[in-house]
Amino acid sequence: MTADDTVETIIGRFGKYQTWILFLITIGRFPTEYQLTNVVFIIPSVEYVCMDDNAYNLTNHCPCENMQYDQSSIVSSVTSTWNLICDRSQLASLAQSILQVGILFGSIFYGHVSDRYGRKFASILSLVSEVIFVALSTVSSQIWIFIVFRFFIGTAVGGTMLCCYVIIIELSGKSFRPYMTGLIELSYILSYFTLPIIAYFLRDWRHLQWATSLPWVFVIFYYFLVPESPRWLITMGQKDKASKILTYIAKKNNMPTDNIKELVEKAVMEAQSSRTKQYGSYLDLFKTPKIRIYTLITAFVWMCCAHTFFGINQYIGRLQGNIYLNVMLSSVSLVPGLILVVLASLYLRRKIAVITSFAVAGVSLLVFIVLPSGMRAAELTFAIIGQIGAYTSFVQVYLYSSEVFPTVVRNSAMGFASVFGRFGGFIAPFVVNIGIEWVSILIFSFLAFCAAFLCYFLPETKDIVLLNTIDQTEKSNKNDTVVSR
């Protein structure tokens, strides 16, 4: 029996207590999700009338020194506060993209803190840091100061995303994890839906930043109710703490508490003995042919996936019509996408599900390009369909990637792919700001098709027993480890 089996045996696959923890984590991640989606309101593409003598009151004229911004939708934004137009528009793209750079560094830093000092400590530290840096960003006096704080917000966002995900996954049983693929995304969809409502009443970007961070400070206290991961405690050999936490959770879930100490002791011994086995590193991702190919493919897939998703997400805020309604409709449209993700994880092969999602994104964006101008409803519809395709592929790629690689290099492979994913998210705003609409959309569509094509060369992982070593992966055939249902 492994440590994973031990935890599920003692506390169940997903009981009342795990549901309570999921609720806390869902609410606690709201500030994080707001920072991922608020770019369309705090750093938007703005309309203005140039009041220079030689500009003749032209709209969006460059160069321009005396501009009058359109305040009908957004009264004050980062763009209008520091005049990020014309030759300064690249600063707006940088302010958007720097968050992704911060997420990359935050994932690495808080990943180390989480492994070294525990999931709970890392989660609280990242959440507190995020609230502090968001608050500091609202009092920035210069654009470069805002960009610096935006980077540190990103580090905290990366930490919160990683650590909260790990906590709830490690408290869940193996058989419940396909459902967690969808449930963990509840915080994103709920925050995405409520953000335009808050932004509608708070049309100054500083007020919006405050409102989406400080009211959630009380969640920090809730996080003290979240236990340390018993799996991490078992790995660290802390059997007494692990037994105490597992006993408490078992009682809450009305599970038997007999022999918990014996089960934990056995799991600790297995965890300690496994430390003498093979350990992987980033270099091991490139030493053998199959792992090397899988590494390169997944890295490029992650880059295309993140680039397309974040690009479409920002582009929807630029569509004609009411920006608040557009974003709200976009968030609502992700709900069926979330249901499809769970169903696909349960009933479809991984490869078919992921390729289909990428293809839906690519085709819908191509249709968007050829639509006649003025068809606002159709433009919004196909943009949202493209976002659903990109969103479902993003969620599924997490699960697919974790199943492709053996245990000894799984975290290294996910971390390496995440680097490329953040790079894709970093360059997305620059593509959005190219200025030629069909070129931007064509790039997003092309990369979605590229990702779909590359996924064809990855192995099928539905219903497999996860491999542990590199040798097992190199020697395995396509269907060697498939478990019959």
Side-chain angles (χ1 to χ4, degrees):
M1 179 179 291
T2 65
D4 282 356
D5 295 326
T6 300
V7 172
E8 182 171 359
T9 300
I10 294 174
I11 65 176
R13 55 189 296 213
F14 202 84
K16 292 185 294 183
Y17 189 81
Q18 289 100 318
T19 303
W20 166 242
I21 299 302
L22 175 63
F23 170 77
L24 294 180
I25 288 177
T26 299
I27 301 300
R29 280 184 54 169
F30 266 50
T32 294
E33 311 296 1
Y34 282 139
Q35 293 305 311
L36 287 171
T37 56
N38 68 4
V39 65
V40 296
F41 296 112
I42 69 171
I43 318 177
S45 176
V46 296
E47 299 284 332
Y48 64 92
V49 175
C50 187
M51 308 300 291
D52 291 354
D53 292 337
N54 61 343
Y56 307 105
N57 295 337
L58 292 176
T59 301
N60 300 338
H61 176 76
C62 288
C64 184
E65 295 183 0
N66 301 294
M67 63 289 294
Q68 183 175 330
Y69 292 104
D70 178 12
Q71 297 181 332
S72 58
S73 294
I74 299 175
V75 175
S76 175
S77 65
V78 171
T79 311
S80 60
T81 298
W82 288 295
N83 298 321
L84 306 184
I85 59 173
C86 299
D87 59 342
R88 290 170 58 85
S89 62
Q90 295 303 313
L91 289 174
S93 298
L94 179 61
Q96 296 169 1
S97 299
I98 199 67
L99 184 77
Q100 297 294 329
V101 180
I103 292 175
L104 170 60
F105 281 91
S107 298
I108 296 173
F109 172 74
Y110 284 101
H112 172 73
V113 172
S114 177
D115 288 339
R116 180 68 176 83
Y117 301 104
R119 318 307 196 201
K120 180 177 179 179
F121 174 76
S123 298
I124 296 174
L125 178 62
S126 60
L127 183 60
V128 173
S129 300
E130 183 180 344
V131 173
I132 292 174
F133 289 129
V134 169
L136 290 174
S137 73
T138 64
V139 296
S140 301
S141 58
Q142 300 291 333
I143 181 60
W144 68 267
I145 297 177
F146 174 81
I147 291 175
V148 169
F149 284 132
R150 186 81 171 160
F151 168 80
F152 284 112
I153 291 171
T155 61
V157 166
T160 303
M161 291 170 61
L162 173 66
C163 299
C164 291
Y165 180 83
V166 170
I167 282 181
I168 193 63
I169 287 296
E170 292 186 345
L171 283 172
S172 306
K174 292 186 298 182
S175 59
F176 195 78
R177 287 176 189 171
Y179 299 96
M180 286 308 305
T181 305
L183 291 175
I184 199 68
E185 293 296 314
L186 285 175
S187 59
Y188 178 81
I189 292 180
L190 291 174
S191 62
Y192 197 16
F193 178 80
T194 56
L195 177 63
I197 300 175
I198 300 172
Y200 179 83
F201 293 101
L202 298 174
R203 303 197 179 194
D204 184 302
W205 73 271
R206 298 182 193 271
H207 298 161
L208 181 61
Q209 282 283 76
W210 278 94
T212 54
S213 62
L214 293 185
W216 300 100
V217 173
F218 74 92
V219 175
I220 296 172
F221 298 102
Y222 278 22
Y223 262 76
F224 286 100
L225 300 176
V226 177
E228 181 54 82
S229 167
R231 300 182 195 274
W232 180 81
L233 291 172
I234 288 173
T235 303
M236 294 293 105
Q238 301 182 33
K239 58 184 178 181
D240 291 337
K241 290 184 179 180
S243 298
K244 182 178 180 181
I245 290 174
L246 289 171
T247 301
Y248 176 79
I249 298 175
K251 289 180 179 178
K252 292 292 184 180
N253 287 346
N254 297 320
M255 298 287 290
T257 58
D258 300 335
N259 302 323
I260 289 182
K261 287 188 176 181
E262 290 79 1
L263 291 172
V264 171
E265 287 180 358
K266 183 177 181 180
V268 169
M269 291 178 62
E270 290 181 350
Q272 290 176 339
S273 64
S274 68
R275 293 179 183 179
T276 63
K277 297 178 182 179
Q278 179 185 9
Y279 276 80
S281 67
Y282 286 108
L283 293 178
D284 290 320
L285 297 174
F286 301 95
K287 289 181 178 179
T288 55
K290 277 191 178 181
I291 297 295
R292 180 167 56 246
I293 292 174
Y294 296 164
T295 298
L296 295 176
I297 290 177
T298 54
F300 193 75
V301 167
W302 274 59
M303 185 188 73
C304 296
C305 189
H307 180 75
T308 302
F309 174 72
F310 287 110
I312 297 175
N313 186 46
Q314 294 177 28
Y315 194 81
I316 286 178
R318 298 189 172 200
L319 293 176
Q320 296 295 322
N322 188 302
I323 184 176
Y324 303 99
L325 181 60
N326 287 349
V327 173
M328 186 174 293
L329 290 175
S330 173
S331 66
V332 172
S333 70
L334 295 181
V335 175
L338 198 60
I339 297 173
L340 290 174
V341 165
V342 176
L343 293 176
S345 299
L346 288 171
Y347 301 112
L348 293 181
R349 291 186 175 274
R350 300 285 187 259
K351 187 183 296 187
I352 293 176
V354 174
I355 290 177
T356 300
S357 295
F358 278 122
V360 168
V363 170
S364 63
L365 292 175
L366 286 180
V367 174
F368 183 92
I369 293 177
V370 301
L371 284 175
S373 59
M375 299 181 64
R376 295 182 179 178
E379 288 179 350
L380 180 61
T381 298
F382 281 99
I384 288 177
I385 293 174
Q387 186 185 37
I388 293 175
Y391 175 72
T392 54
S393 62
F394 210 162
V395 175
Q396 292 175 94
V397 160
Y398 268 90
L399 178 61
Y400 195 13
S401 301
S402 66
E403 293 174 335
V404 166
F405 293 94
T407 302
V408 292
V409 293
R410 187 169 293 127
N411 283 344
S412 297
M414 295 287 283
F416 184 79
S418 179
V419 171
F420 281 79
R422 296 313 160 193
F423 176 74
F426 176 82
I427 62 178
F430 293 95
V431 175
V432 172
N433 293 328
I434 284 177
I436 305 175
E437 181 180 271
W438 69 269
V439 173
S440 300
I441 300 299
L442 187 62
I443 292 174
F444 294 139
S445 178
F446 174 74
L447 290 179
F449 283 121
C450 285
F453 175 74
L454 288 172
C455 284
Y456 176 79
F457 299 98
L458 292 175
E460 179 55 55
T461 61
K462 180 69 167 63
D463 293 338
I464 68 166
V465 176
L466 296 182
L467 302 178
N468 290 321
T469 68
I470 292 175
D471 288 339
Q472 288 176 337
T473 302
E474 291 296 325
K475 294 177 181 178
S476 67
N477 291 321
K478 186 176 180 181
N479 298 315
D480 275 353
T481 56
V482 175
V483 178
S484 60
R485 294 179 68 87

Short mmCIF file of all heavy atoms in Angstrom, two decimals, residues 35 38-39 42-43 77-79 81-82 84 91-92 94-99 133-154 205-206 209:
data_model
loop_
_atom_site.label_atom_id
_atom_site.label_comp_id
_atom_site.label_asym_id
_atom_site.label_seq_id
_atom_site.Cartn_x
_atom_site.Cartn_y
_atom_site.Cartn_z
N GLN A 35 -6.70 38.98 -10.28
CA GLN A 35 -5.49 39.53 -10.89
C GLN A 35 -5.21 38.91 -12.25
O GLN A 35 -4.61 39.54 -13.12
CB GLN A 35 -4.29 39.32 -9.96
CG GLN A 35 -4.36 40.12 -8.67
CD GLN A 35 -4.53 41.61 -8.91
OE1 GLN A 35 -3.82 42.20 -9.72
NE2 GLN A 35 -5.48 42.21 -8.23
N ASN A 38 -8.30 40.79 -14.50
CA ASN A 38 -8.69 42.20 -14.43
C ASN A 38 -7.97 43.10 -15.43
O ASN A 38 -8.22 44.30 -15.48
CB ASN A 38 -8.48 42.76 -13.02
CG ASN A 38 -7.02 42.85 -12.63
OD1 ASN A 38 -6.12 42.57 -13.43
ND2 ASN A 38 -6.76 43.24 -11.38
N VAL A 39 -7.09 42.54 -16.25
CA VAL A 39 -6.30 43.35 -17.17
C VAL A 39 -7.19 44.10 -18.16
O VAL A 39 -6.86 45.20 -18.60
CB VAL A 39 -5.27 42.48 -17.90
CG1 VAL A 39 -5.94 41.45 -18.79
CG2 VAL A 39 -4.31 43.33 -18.71
N ILE A 42 -8.23 47.26 -15.98
CA ILE A 42 -7.26 48.20 -15.42
C ILE A 42 -6.21 48.64 -16.44
O ILE A 42 -5.62 49.72 -16.29
CB ILE A 42 -6.56 47.60 -14.16
CG1 ILE A 42 -5.64 46.44 -14.54
CG2 ILE A 42 -7.58 47.20 -13.13
CD1 ILE A 42 -4.78 45.98 -13.38
N ILE A 43 -5.96 47.82 -17.48
CA ILE A 43 -5.01 48.22 -18.52
C ILE A 43 -5.68 48.01 -19.89
O ILE A 43 -5.21 47.24 -20.72
CB ILE A 43 -3.69 47.43 -18.45
CG1 ILE A 43 -3.22 47.27 -17.00
CG2 ILE A 43 -2.60 48.13 -19.25
CD1 ILE A 43 -1.97 46.42 -16.85
N SER A 77 -7.89 54.41 -15.85
CA SER A 77 -7.18 53.14 -16.01
C SER A 77 -5.68 53.40 -15.94
O SER A 77 -5.24 54.56 -15.95
CB SER A 77 -7.53 52.49 -17.34
OG SER A 77 -7.07 53.29 -18.42
N VAL A 78 -4.91 52.34 -15.86
CA VAL A 78 -3.46 52.48 -15.91
C VAL A 78 -3.05 53.13 -17.22
O VAL A 78 -2.15 53.97 -17.26
CB VAL A 78 -2.79 51.09 -15.75
CG1 VAL A 78 -1.29 51.18 -16.01
CG2 VAL A 78 -3.05 50.53 -14.36
N THR A 79 -3.73 52.78 -18.29
CA THR A 79 -3.42 53.33 -19.61
C THR A 79 -3.59 54.83 -19.65
O THR A 79 -2.72 55.57 -20.15
CB THR A 79 -4.32 52.68 -20.68
OG1 THR A 79 -4.31 51.26 -20.52
CG2 THR A 79 -3.84 53.05 -22.08
N THR A 81 -3.91 56.87 -16.96
CA THR A 81 -3.17 57.54 -15.88
C THR A 81 -1.77 57.93 -16.33
O THR A 81 -1.30 59.03 -16.02
CB THR A 81 -3.09 56.62 -14.65
OG1 THR A 81 -4.41 56.35 -14.18
CG2 THR A 81 -2.27 57.29 -13.53
N TRP A 82 -1.11 57.04 -17.07
CA TRP A 82 0.27 57.31 -17.49
C TRP A 82 0.40 57.44 -19.01
O TRP A 82 1.49 57.31 -19.55
CB TRP A 82 1.20 56.22 -16.96
CG TRP A 82 1.39 56.32 -15.48
CD1 TRP A 82 1.99 57.34 -14.80
CD2 TRP A 82 0.99 55.38 -14.48
NE1 TRP A 82 1.98 57.10 -13.45
CE2 TRP A 82 1.37 55.89 -13.21
CE3 TRP A 82 0.34 54.16 -14.52
CZ2 TRP A 82 1.12 55.23 -12.01
CZ3 TRP A 82 0.09 53.49 -13.32
CH2 TRP A 82 0.48 54.02 -12.09
N LEU A 84 -0.39 55.65 -21.77
CA LEU A 84 0.30 54.55 -22.44
C LEU A 84 -0.28 54.35 -23.84
O LEU A 84 -0.87 53.31 -24.18
CB LEU A 84 0.18 53.27 -21.61
CG LEU A 84 0.66 53.38 -20.16
CD1 LEU A 84 0.58 52.03 -19.47
CD2 LEU A 84 2.07 53.94 -20.08
N LEU A 91 4.59 49.96 -23.19
CA LEU A 91 4.61 49.89 -21.73
C LEU A 91 3.32 49.26 -21.21
O LEU A 91 3.34 48.57 -20.18
CB LEU A 91 4.80 51.28 -21.13
CG LEU A 91 6.19 51.91 -21.30
CD1 LEU A 91 6.20 53.34 -20.78
CD2 LEU A 91 7.23 51.07 -20.55
N ALA A 92 2.22 49.50 -21.92
CA ALA A 92 0.96 48.86 -21.54
C ALA A 92 1.07 47.35 -21.72
O ALA A 92 0.63 46.56 -20.86
CB ALA A 92 -0.19 49.41 -22.36
N LEU A 94 3.82 45.62 -21.64
CA LEU A 94 4.75 45.14 -20.61
C LEU A 94 4.05 45.02 -19.27
O LEU A 94 4.26 44.04 -18.53
CB LEU A 94 5.95 46.08 -20.51
CG LEU A 94 7.00 45.71 -19.45
CD1 LEU A 94 7.60 44.35 -19.74
CD2 LEU A 94 8.09 46.78 -19.38
N ALA A 95 3.21 46.01 -18.94
CA ALA A 95 2.49 45.97 -17.67
C ALA A 95 1.55 44.77 -17.61
O ALA A 95 1.33 44.19 -16.54
CB ALA A 95 1.70 47.27 -17.46
N GLN A 96 1.00 44.39 -18.77
CA GLN A 96 0.15 43.21 -18.82
C GLN A 96 0.98 41.93 -18.71
O GLN A 96 0.62 41.00 -17.98
CB GLN A 96 -0.65 43.21 -20.12
CG GLN A 96 -1.62 44.36 -20.27
CD GLN A 96 -2.19 44.46 -21.67
OE1 GLN A 96 -1.88 43.66 -22.54
NE2 GLN A 96 -3.03 45.46 -21.91
N SER A 97 2.08 41.89 -19.43
CA SER A 97 2.86 40.65 -19.54
C SER A 97 3.69 40.35 -18.30
O SER A 97 3.99 39.19 -18.02
CB SER A 97 3.79 40.74 -20.75
OG SER A 97 3.07 40.89 -21.95
N ILE A 98 4.09 41.38 -17.56
CA ILE A 98 5.01 41.17 -16.45
C ILE A 98 4.39 40.28 -15.38
O ILE A 98 5.10 39.62 -14.61
CB ILE A 98 5.44 42.54 -15.85
CG1 ILE A 98 6.72 42.38 -15.03
CG2 ILE A 98 4.32 43.13 -15.01
CD1 ILE A 98 7.93 42.04 -15.86
N LEU A 99 3.06 40.23 -15.35
CA LEU A 99 2.39 39.35 -14.39
C LEU A 99 2.78 37.90 -14.65
O LEU A 99 3.00 37.12 -13.71
CB LEU A 99 0.87 39.52 -14.48
CG LEU A 99 0.06 38.72 -13.45
CD1 LEU A 99 0.13 39.40 -12.09
CD2 LEU A 99 -1.40 38.59 -13.90
N PHE A 133 1.00 43.35 -1.98
CA PHE A 133 1.52 43.91 -3.23
C PHE A 133 0.41 44.55 -4.07
O PHE A 133 0.64 45.55 -4.75
CB PHE A 133 2.26 42.85 -4.03
CG PHE A 133 3.56 42.43 -3.42
CD1 PHE A 133 3.86 41.09 -3.21
CD2 PHE A 133 4.51 43.39 -3.05
CE1 PHE A 133 5.06 40.71 -2.65
CE2 PHE A 133 5.71 43.02 -2.48
CZ PHE A 133 5.99 41.68 -2.28
N VAL A 134 -0.79 43.98 -4.03
CA VAL A 134 -1.91 44.60 -4.74
C VAL A 134 -2.23 45.95 -4.13
O VAL A 134 -2.45 46.94 -4.85
CB VAL A 134 -3.15 43.69 -4.71
CG1 VAL A 134 -4.39 44.45 -5.22
CG2 VAL A 134 -2.93 42.45 -5.57
N ALA A 135 -2.23 46.01 -2.80
CA ALA A 135 -2.49 47.28 -2.13
C ALA A 135 -1.42 48.32 -2.47
O ALA A 135 -1.72 49.49 -2.73
CB ALA A 135 -2.56 47.06 -0.62
N LEU A 136 -0.16 47.91 -2.48
CA LEU A 136 0.93 48.83 -2.81
C LEU A 136 0.84 49.31 -4.26
O LEU A 136 1.19 50.46 -4.56
CB LEU A 136 2.27 48.15 -2.56
CG LEU A 136 2.65 47.90 -1.10
CD1 LEU A 136 3.94 47.09 -1.01
CD2 LEU A 136 2.80 49.22 -0.35
N SER A 137 0.35 48.46 -5.15
CA SER A 137 0.26 48.87 -6.56
C SER A 137 -0.73 50.01 -6.75
O SER A 137 -0.59 50.79 -7.69
CB SER A 137 -0.15 47.66 -7.42
OG SER A 137 -1.51 47.32 -7.23
N THR A 138 -1.71 50.10 -5.88
CA THR A 138 -2.72 51.14 -6.05
C THR A 138 -2.20 52.54 -5.70
O THR A 138 -2.82 53.53 -6.07
CB THR A 138 -3.95 50.86 -5.16
OG1 THR A 138 -3.57 50.91 -3.78
CG2 THR A 138 -4.53 49.49 -5.47
N VAL A 139 -1.07 52.62 -5.01
CA VAL A 139 -0.52 53.93 -4.65
C VAL A 139 0.72 54.25 -5.47
O VAL A 139 1.48 55.16 -5.13
CB VAL A 139 -0.18 53.99 -3.14
CG1 VAL A 139 -1.45 53.86 -2.32
CG2 VAL A 139 0.82 52.90 -2.75
N SER A 140 0.92 53.52 -6.56
CA SER A 140 2.09 53.76 -7.42
C SER A 140 2.00 55.16 -8.03
O SER A 140 0.96 55.57 -8.52
CB SER A 140 2.16 52.72 -8.54
OG SER A 140 2.23 51.41 -8.01
N SER A 141 3.13 55.86 -8.02
CA SER A 141 3.18 57.22 -8.58
C SER A 141 3.78 57.25 -9.98
O SER A 141 3.64 58.24 -10.69
CB SER A 141 3.98 58.14 -7.65
OG SER A 141 5.30 57.64 -7.47
N GLN A 142 4.47 56.17 -10.36
CA GLN A 142 5.09 56.09 -11.69
C GLN A 142 4.77 54.73 -12.30
O GLN A 142 4.56 53.74 -11.58
CB GLN A 142 6.61 56.26 -11.58
CG GLN A 142 7.06 57.59 -10.98
CD GLN A 142 6.77 58.77 -11.91
OE1 GLN A 142 6.70 58.60 -13.12
NE2 GLN A 142 6.60 59.95 -11.33
N ILE A 143 4.77 54.67 -13.63
CA ILE A 143 4.43 53.43 -14.30
C ILE A 143 5.44 52.33 -13.97
O ILE A 143 5.06 51.16 -13.81
CB ILE A 143 4.33 53.64 -15.84
CG1 ILE A 143 3.97 52.34 -16.54
CG2 ILE A 143 5.63 54.21 -16.39
CD1 ILE A 143 2.65 51.74 -16.12
N TRP A 144 6.71 52.67 -13.83
CA TRP A 144 7.71 51.64 -13.55
C TRP A 144 7.51 51.05 -12.16
O TRP A 144 7.77 49.86 -11.94
CB TRP A 144 9.13 52.19 -13.72
CG TRP A 144 9.55 53.21 -12.71
CD1 TRP A 144 9.46 54.57 -12.83
CD2 TRP A 144 10.14 52.96 -11.42
NE1 TRP A 144 9.94 55.19 -11.70
CE2 TRP A 144 10.38 54.22 -10.82
CE3 TRP A 144 10.49 51.81 -10.73
CZ2 TRP A 144 10.93 54.37 -9.56
CZ3 TRP A 144 11.06 51.94 -9.46
CH2 TRP A 144 11.28 53.21 -8.90
N ILE A 145 7.02 51.88 -11.21
CA ILE A 145 6.74 51.36 -9.88
C ILE A 145 5.57 50.37 -9.95
O ILE A 145 5.59 49.31 -9.32
CB ILE A 145 6.42 52.52 -8.91
CG1 ILE A 145 7.62 53.44 -8.76
CG2 ILE A 145 5.99 51.97 -7.54
CD1 ILE A 145 7.38 54.64 -7.88
N PHE A 146 4.54 50.75 -10.73
CA PHE A 146 3.41 49.85 -10.91
C PHE A 146 3.85 48.53 -11.54
O PHE A 146 3.41 47.45 -11.11
CB PHE A 146 2.35 50.51 -11.79
CG PHE A 146 1.20 49.61 -12.14
CD1 PHE A 146 0.16 49.39 -11.25
CD2 PHE A 146 1.16 48.95 -13.37
CE1 PHE A 146 -0.89 48.54 -11.56
CE2 PHE A 146 0.12 48.10 -13.70
CZ PHE A 146 -0.91 47.89 -12.79
N ILE A 147 4.73 48.59 -12.53
CA ILE A 147 5.20 47.37 -13.19
C ILE A 147 5.97 46.48 -12.22
O ILE A 147 5.83 45.26 -12.24
CB ILE A 147 6.06 47.74 -14.41
CG1 ILE A 147 5.19 48.36 -15.51
CG2 ILE A 147 6.80 46.52 -14.96
CD1 ILE A 147 5.97 48.87 -16.71
N VAL A 148 6.78 47.08 -11.35
CA VAL A 148 7.52 46.31 -10.35
C VAL A 148 6.56 45.59 -9.41
O VAL A 148 6.70 44.39 -9.14
CB VAL A 148 8.48 47.22 -9.56
CG1 VAL A 148 9.05 46.48 -8.35
CG2 VAL A 148 9.61 47.72 -10.45
N PHE A 149 5.55 46.33 -8.92
CA PHE A 149 4.58 45.70 -8.03
C PHE A 149 3.75 44.65 -8.77
O PHE A 149 3.35 43.64 -8.18
CB PHE A 149 3.66 46.75 -7.39
CG PHE A 149 4.31 47.52 -6.29
CD1 PHE A 149 4.23 48.90 -6.24
CD2 PHE A 149 5.01 46.88 -5.28
CE1 PHE A 149 4.84 49.63 -5.22
CE2 PHE A 149 5.62 47.59 -4.25
CZ PHE A 149 5.53 48.96 -4.22
N ARG A 150 3.50 44.89 -10.04
CA ARG A 150 2.77 43.92 -10.86
C ARG A 150 3.56 42.60 -10.94
O ARG A 150 2.98 41.52 -10.92
CB ARG A 150 2.54 44.50 -12.25
CG ARG A 150 1.67 43.66 -13.16
CD ARG A 150 0.23 43.85 -12.89
NE ARG A 150 -0.59 43.19 -13.91
CZ ARG A 150 -1.86 42.86 -13.74
NH1 ARG A 150 -2.46 43.13 -12.59
NH2 ARG A 150 -2.54 42.28 -14.70
N PHE A 151 4.87 42.71 -11.02
CA PHE A 151 5.72 41.52 -11.03
C PHE A 151 5.58 40.75 -9.71
O PHE A 151 5.41 39.53 -9.70
CB PHE A 151 7.17 41.90 -11.26
CG PHE A 151 8.14 40.79 -11.01
CD1 PHE A 151 8.36 39.80 -11.97
CD2 PHE A 151 8.84 40.71 -9.81
CE1 PHE A 151 9.25 38.76 -11.73
CE2 PHE A 151 9.73 39.68 -9.57
CZ PHE A 151 9.93 38.70 -10.53
N PHE A 152 5.65 41.48 -8.60
CA PHE A 152 5.55 40.81 -7.30
C PHE A 152 4.15 40.26 -7.05
O PHE A 152 3.99 39.23 -6.38
CB PHE A 152 5.96 41.77 -6.18
CG PHE A 152 7.44 41.99 -6.08
CD1 PHE A 152 8.00 43.21 -6.40
CD2 PHE A 152 8.28 40.96 -5.69
CE1 PHE A 152 9.38 43.41 -6.32
CE2 PHE A 152 9.65 41.13 -5.61
CZ PHE A 152 10.20 42.37 -5.93
N ILE A 153 3.13 40.92 -7.60
CA ILE A 153 1.78 40.35 -7.55
C ILE A 153 1.78 39.01 -8.27
O ILE A 153 1.20 38.02 -7.80
CB ILE A 153 0.75 41.31 -8.19
CG1 ILE A 153 0.56 42.55 -7.31
CG2 ILE A 153 -0.59 40.61 -8.39
CD1 ILE A 153 -0.28 43.64 -7.98
N GLY A 154 2.46 38.96 -9.41
CA GLY A 154 2.55 37.72 -10.17
C GLY A 154 3.21 36.61 -9.40
O GLY A 154 2.78 35.44 -9.47
N TRP A 205 -9.35 52.43 -11.67
CA TRP A 205 -8.55 51.21 -11.52
C TRP A 205 -7.99 51.03 -10.13
O TRP A 205 -7.86 49.89 -9.65
CB TRP A 205 -7.43 51.18 -12.56
CG TRP A 205 -6.29 52.13 -12.30
CD1 TRP A 205 -6.20 53.42 -12.72
CD2 TRP A 205 -5.09 51.85 -11.56
NE1 TRP A 205 -5.01 53.98 -12.30
CE2 TRP A 205 -4.30 53.03 -11.60
CE3 TRP A 205 -4.60 50.74 -10.91
CZ2 TRP A 205 -3.07 53.11 -10.97
CZ3 TRP A 205 -3.37 50.82 -10.28
CH2 TRP A 205 -2.61 52.00 -10.32
N ARG A 206 -7.66 52.13 -9.45
CA ARG A 206 -7.13 52.02 -8.08
C ARG A 206 -8.20 51.46 -7.14
O ARG A 206 -7.92 50.60 -6.30
CB ARG A 206 -6.63 53.37 -7.60
CG ARG A 206 -5.48 53.94 -8.44
CD ARG A 206 -5.01 55.27 -7.86
NE ARG A 206 -4.14 56.00 -8.79
CZ ARG A 206 -2.82 55.86 -8.83
NH1 ARG A 206 -2.22 55.03 -8.00
NH2 ARG A 206 -2.10 56.55 -9.69
N GLN A 209 -8.69 47.72 -7.80
CA GLN A 209 -7.64 46.90 -7.21
C GLN A 209 -7.86 46.68 -5.71
O GLN A 209 -7.73 45.57 -5.20
CB GLN A 209 -6.27 47.55 -7.44
CG GLN A 209 -5.69 47.37 -8.83
CD GLN A 209 -5.10 46.00 -9.05
OE1 GLN A 209 -5.83 45.03 -9.24
NE2 GLN A 209 -3.80 45.89 -9.05
#
